[in-house]
Amino acid sequence: MQAGAMGFQLVRPDDAAAVAVLTDLGNAAQAVDDPESPAGTPELTAGWLRYGWDLEPDQRYLYRPSEDDDPVGVLNVGVPKRDNLHLVTGGITVHPDQRRQGHGSAMLAELLRQTRELGRRTVWLGCAADDDGAAAFLKQHGFSYASHDARRYQWPSKVDQDHVAALYAEARQAAADYEVVRTQVPTDDQLLAELIEVTAAINDAPMGELEFEPEKFDLQRLKDFEYAGQQKGERIYRIFARHRHTGVVGGHTVMMVQPSQPTFGNQYDTAVHRDHRGHRLGMLLKIEMMRWMADAEPQIERIETWNNADNSYMINVNEAIGYRLSRIFDSYQLAL
Ligand SMILES: CC(C)(COP(=O)(O)OP(=O)(O)OC[C@H]1O[C@@H](n2cnc3c(N)ncnc32)[C@H](O)[C@@H]1OP(=O)(O)O)[C@@H](O)C(=O)NCCC(=O)NCCS
């Protein structure tokens, strides 16, 4: 599936003009729909088109209702290839000045056409939970609410450091059997192999009613994630906890800073393997990361993190260390 149907132009990462239009369109919509998010840049867009999260980039299309029109919308098509072979994850964005003219519906029809052509049966689309218009659009097209995720921000300068220091001391004590180790990407293969199981522990996070099988992780996938990050220019920090007696890695947390947005940090996955829960490792790892970032990336003004909105354990940790709710986003699902 490359060219897309009439009116849909697949954007290639080396097509600078198309990448610029894609970025501008995304930013125009974001300024209206989600102004708290930092604006995109053509370099970031191209990096995501080329490498994605772990070398399975989404395809993104510019949509023109007719040949003479400027693009009015962007269609994202994500097709997991390592697992979840029943699934297509979509994204539909219509320029704010072009809404309620049927463009979103036309892009959705193309998404469903591609899904059928790929022989897949489940489609996910999402929207802000307080965006009644987008929810009406999705329901009108037969989608059902399936899950919700919460975005939180932490402003390091506003964090109550005394409170965090007390939590840190408590967690240190509860996790005295664990050694806490800092590493930076690229990770050598031997250590990366030891991190496969804790990475896969993210599969234990709640997913609501979404039809989803556990993601499959192996050494190559972890290498692909690190390679994709490096190629996008990201600085990726990881902290893991190793059980002192057995040597087993029980938990980890990952932070990313994109040099073109150096004041904005991304708190990526944090996971503790089920055999190692109950030792405050989640709290310990995240505070250790805050301490590291204060030294290594002192320019960070804001850190973003995402959790399933029902993941009360992780959310309680995040709230305790100063993360505050920004917004809830709903996931909708359609079974073909
Ligand atoms: C949601 C979105 C894609 C809709 O695009 P659109 O081009 O305006 O949608 P359409 O014109 O095809 O709308 C089809 C139907 O959906 C419903 N709908 C769409 N927007 C709506 C709104 N703001 N309020 C109420 N109903 C709405 C209506 O039933 C509409 O039919 P009608 O105009 O004849 O009443 C667009 O608003 C958008 O880009 N929002 C921001 C991004 C986003 O949240 N995307 C989530 C969906 S993946």
Side-chain angles (χ1 to χ4, degrees):
M1 185 87 35
Q2 289 295 307
M6 274 269 278
F8 290 88
Q9 176 194 355
L10 178 67
V11 179
R12 298 185 187 285
D14 48 9
D15 181 345
V19 167
V21 174
L22 188 67
T23 306
D24 287 349
L25 228 155
N27 284 340
Q30 200 175 277
V32 172
D33 301 317
D34 191 20
E36 273 198 294
S37 270
T41 65
E43 294 71 30
L44 291 175
T45 305
W48 278 96
L49 287 175
R50 216 172 252 128
Y51 305 107
W53 172 261
D54 54 9
L55 301 186
E56 270 190 12
D58 286 0
Q59 300 210 316
R60 295 190 212 174
Y61 299 86
L62 290 170
Y63 172 61
R64 290 178 180 78
S66 79
E67 254 176 55
D68 312 324
D69 289 324
D70 289 333
V72 297
V74 175
L75 172 65
N76 269 38
V77 185
V79 182
K81 298 195 179 67
R82 298 177 173 102
D83 46 52
N84 288 286
L85 303 180
H86 62 289
L87 180 65
V88 168
T89 61
I92 296 175
T93 308
V94 176
H95 190 285
D97 301 340
Q98 302 287 341
R99 293 180 183 170
R100 300 304 287 271
Q101 299 171 50
H103 301 319
S105 300
M107 286 192 277
L108 179 57
E110 170 61 7
L111 178 66
L112 300 185
R113 187 191 71 74
Q114 291 202 19
T115 303
R116 288 197 178 90
E117 195 170 282
L118 288 162
R120 301 205 173 201
R121 63 169 196 278
T122 306
V123 183
W124 293 355
L125 282 168
C127 66
D130 53 5
D131 185 341
D132 296 339
F137 169 82
L138 288 166
K139 287 180 198 155
Q140 208 252 341
H141 286 99
F143 281 74
S144 307
Y145 166 84
S147 190
H148 52 178
D149 292 291
R151 180 177 66 195
R152 282 180 167 73
Y153 292 122
Q154 183 207 55
W155 285 263
S157 66
K158 294 189 198 161
V159 169
D160 177 346
Q161 296 297 345
D162 293 341
H163 179 58
V164 171
L167 293 171
Y168 185 69
E170 251 172 59
R172 271 272 172 203
Q173 210 165 20
D177 288 342
Y178 293 83
E179 172 197 13
V180 176
V181 186
R182 298 176 175 186
T183 73
Q184 258 184 287
V185 163
T187 312
D188 70 67
D189 282 8
Q190 199 190 332
L191 176 55
L192 210 50
E194 292 184 79
L195 292 164
I196 296 170
E197 270 209 66
V198 276
T199 304
I202 200 72
N203 280 315
D204 294 344
M207 294 287 289
E209 302 298 312
L210 290 169
E211 200 193 318
F212 192 60
E213 65 173 16
E215 288 187 87
K216 292 180 185 148
F217 292 96
D218 57 18
L219 180 62
Q220 190 58 50
R221 187 169 192 176
L222 270 58
K223 286 167 78 87
D224 290 349
F225 164 73
E226 292 203 345
Y227 178 79
Q230 283 183 288
Q231 295 303 310
K232 287 179 285 183
E234 298 171 350
R235 297 196 285 267
I236 300 177
Y237 301 85
R238 189 196 307 263
I239 299 180
F240 62 91
R242 187 192 288 285
H243 191 247
R244 293 183 199 276
H245 306 305
T246 60
V248 175
V249 175
H252 77 144
T253 189
V254 181
M255 177 77 72
M256 186 281 274
V257 180
Q258 168 55 243
S260 66
Q261 295 174 330
T263 60
F264 188 73
N266 289 270
Q267 170 66 63
Y268 280 175
D269 284 9
T270 300
V272 176
H273 190 275
R274 60 169 72 81
D275 296 348
H276 299 267
R277 292 184 191 149
H279 302 281
R280 302 229 143 217
L281 285 181
M283 180 73 83
L284 179 63
L285 290 163
K286 293 201 92 162
I287 301 180
E288 190 69 33
M289 185 62 86
M290 287 169 66
R291 294 162 69 103
W292 192 4
M293 291 303 99
D295 288 338
E297 304 277 0
Q299 78 291 342
I300 291 179
E301 292 169 5
R302 176 168 58 137
I303 300 175
E304 177 171 305
T305 196
W306 288 81
N307 310 105
N308 182 286
D310 300 324
N311 193 345
S312 52
Y313 170 74
M314 200 70 249
I315 288 172
N316 288 342
V317 168
N318 288 336
E319 287 280 336
I321 60 176
Y323 281 90
R324 294 293 173 258
L325 182 65
S326 151
R327 210 171 180 190
I328 309 267
F329 291 81
D330 286 343
S331 298
Y332 282 75
Q333 179 165 262
L334 178 73
L336 292 179

